[in-house]
């Protein structure tokens, strides 16, 4: 499964496009423990502004892709791919009475693969301009 999200300014101009592919999620809850897992196979952030000369802002490292032979799209190669992002949480729920309930973590893992980043000043300015329009405080608020 995958998802793509576009950041658009007032329906006029697309600023950025974020693509997440091969997403996996697991959640298991019992009275004694909670387990959560999230993997993202591939992640890419693109600069979609009109002035973009470097469209790929954030992409998995080309060195790692070549080293691991991740370019091939065959079924077997896709199954061997290592996710670029992994989050795993394994938590115990401790009950010593309602007022003294607590929790302990058996495992908390965040693994992020190496990425190449190419950020243009015009892209940062476009994002900052967009962010400034998101919340304009009203007088008396």
């Amino acid at each position: 499964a995958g998802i793509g999200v576009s950041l658009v300014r007032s329906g006029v101009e697309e600023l950025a496009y974020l693509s997440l592919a091969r997403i996996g999620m697991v959640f298991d809850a019992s009275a004694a423990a909670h387990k959560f897992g999230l993997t993202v196979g591939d992640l890419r952030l693109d600069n979609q502004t009109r002035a973009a000369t470097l469209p790929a802002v954030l992409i998995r490292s080309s060195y790692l892709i070549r080293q691991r032979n991740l370019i091939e799209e065959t079924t077997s190669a896709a199954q061997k791919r290592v996710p670029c992002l992994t989050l795993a949480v394994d938590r115990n729920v401790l009950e010593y009475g309602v007022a003294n309930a607590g929790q302990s973590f058996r495992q908390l893992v965040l693994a992020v693969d190496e990425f190449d980043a190419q950020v243009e000043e015009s892209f940062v300015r476009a994002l900052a301009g967009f962010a400034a329009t998101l919340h304009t405080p009203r007088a008396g608020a």
Side-chain angles (χ1 to χ4, degrees):
I3 188 169
V5 178
S6 288
L7 183 62
V8 180
R9 181 184 9 217
S10 302
V12 177
E13 178 185 18
E14 184 176 18
L15 301 176
Y17 180 75
L18 176 66
S19 172
L20 305 170
R22 295 186 353 265
I23 300 170
M25 189 170 13
V26 176
F27 181 72
D28 184 23
S30 68
H34 299 144
K35 294 181 181 183
F36 173 77
L38 173 70
T39 58
V40 177
D42 285 308
L43 180 148
R44 180 180 173 128
L45 176 64
D46 290 329
N47 177 351
Q48 299 291 318
T49 61
R50 292 182 186 113
T53 57
L54 301 170
V57 176
L58 188 65
I59 191 167
R60 202 167 191 180
S61 170
S62 56
Y63 170 76
L64 289 177
I65 290 172
R66 283 192 308 272
Q67 183 181 12
R68 296 180 184 163
N69 295 321
L70 297 181
I71 295 173
E72 296 180 32
E73 287 297 327
T74 63
T75 304
S76 61
Q79 289 173 347
K80 292 178 186 175
R81 290 184 180 186
V82 175
C84 67
L85 177 90
T86 301
L87 173 65
V89 179
D90 190 352
R91 180 179 76 168
N92 289 330
V93 178
L94 307 173
E95 294 186 29
Y96 300 112
V98 177
N100 296 325
Q103 37 186 313
S104 69
F105 290 90
R106 281 191 268 170
Q107 180 182 39
L108 179 60
V109 175
L110 176 62
V112 181
D113 211 345
E114 186 175 324
F115 284 87
D116 290 335
Q118 300 177 12
V119 183
E120 295 180 78
E121 182 181 354
S122 61
F123 181 65
V124 174
R125 286 180 191 256
L127 292 179
F130 176 80
T133 65
L134 291 179
H135 179 69
T136 305
R138 294 182 296 182

